[in-house]
Amino acid sequence: MTNELVDFSLVSVALLGIGIYGLAVKRNFIRMLFAVEIIINAANLNLVAFGRFLPDAGGQTMALFSIAIAAAEVGVGLSLIIVAYRMYHNIDIADFRSLKG
């Protein structure tokens, strides 16, 4: 039982590391959005894993709410990408010196 929980936690830590690396290194806005999604998926994996092994933890319910919030975050992020592309004709974060309209 605890061996499986350790396995889930290790996969979650690996996903978290990949997501943080993606946020720190990549300068493309879409790649950074993917990195945030990987971090959210790492948190969801932890919620579901601990919800499975702990009685009355409610991890699955919280993971469903987190997935819904992540979907809304993707919608907002993609709309920001569209606005930035229309203004600058580029989605490279380093080129955004001023975000004034």
Side-chain angles (χ1 to χ4, degrees):
M1 179 174 150
T2 58
N3 209 6
E4 292 176 14
L5 186 58
V6 170
D7 292 341
F8 285 129
S9 296
L10 288 176
V11 171
S12 178
V13 166
L15 286 174
L16 181 68
I18 291 169
I20 290 174
Y21 173 77
L23 278 178
V25 173
K26 302 299 179 188
R27 293 292 134 211
N28 189 331
F29 199 38
I30 293 176
R31 289 183 181 176
M32 291 177 75
L33 186 63
F34 286 155
V36 170
E37 289 298 318
I38 290 172
I39 292 171
I40 291 171
N41 286 333
N44 286 338
L45 181 62
N46 264 337
L47 286 172
V48 171
F50 281 100
R52 178 179 174 200
F53 292 109
L54 296 177
D56 298 331
Q60 286 86 0
T61 305
M62 291 192 312
L64 284 175
F65 283 120
S66 176
I67 290 170
I69 291 171
E73 179 256 337
V74 167
V76 170
L78 289 177
S79 66
L80 288 173
I81 290 171
I82 291 170
V83 169
Y85 184 76
R86 286 182 182 171
M87 287 177 63
Y88 296 104
H89 300 289
N90 193 1
I91 55 172
D92 190 18
I93 298 296
D95 293 341
F96 297 158
R97 300 278 186 240
S98 172
L99 294 179
K100 295 179 184 175

